[in-house]
Amino acid sequence: MAQRGKPAGPRKPKQNPLHKVEFVDYKDTALLRKFISDRGKIRSRRVTGLTVQQQKQVSRAIKNAREMALLPYTSNTR
């Protein structure tokens, strides 16, 4: 029976986008925009390649930045 999808093989680990960041700050909107989709949703760990702790820090910082009106809740285009 044939397998569907991609052939199984060794996966190349993604480079961590926060490898030189020691603290995720809600005021750093340029960094936080990398983790938001064009629709305004927070990207998942699978997509971004973050660790569990880093993903929690990023999501909390994005939510704080949205509350302070530094980042939009949704995209501007419709």
Side-chain angles (χ1 to χ4, degrees):
M1 185 178 251
Q3 292 182 352
R4 297 181 187 199
K6 292 183 178 181
R11 289 187 175 178
K12 182 180 176 186
K14 295 182 182 179
Q15 182 172 349
N16 192 332
L18 295 179
H19 63 280
K20 292 189 178 183
V21 177
E22 54 196 47
F23 179 71
V24 180
D25 191 16
Y26 73 93
K27 292 174 275 194
D28 190 2
T29 58
L31 176 69
L32 295 179
R33 285 185 192 273
K34 295 179 184 176
F35 303 104
I36 298 177
S37 69
D38 56 345
R39 306 275 301 201
K41 295 182 177 182
I42 300 174
R43 296 184 191 256
S44 67
R45 279 187 58 223
R46 285 187 302 136
V47 175
T48 59
L50 297 175
T51 64
V52 175
Q53 293 84 6
Q54 289 172 334
Q55 180 69 21
K56 288 180 183 180
Q57 288 177 353
V58 166
S59 64
R60 177 56 49 205
I62 289 172
K63 290 174 185 178
N64 285 340
R66 285 176 175 168
E67 188 71 25
M68 297 289 182
L70 299 175
L71 290 176
Y73 279 97
T74 59
S75 63
N76 294 336
T77 59
R78 290 192 183 220

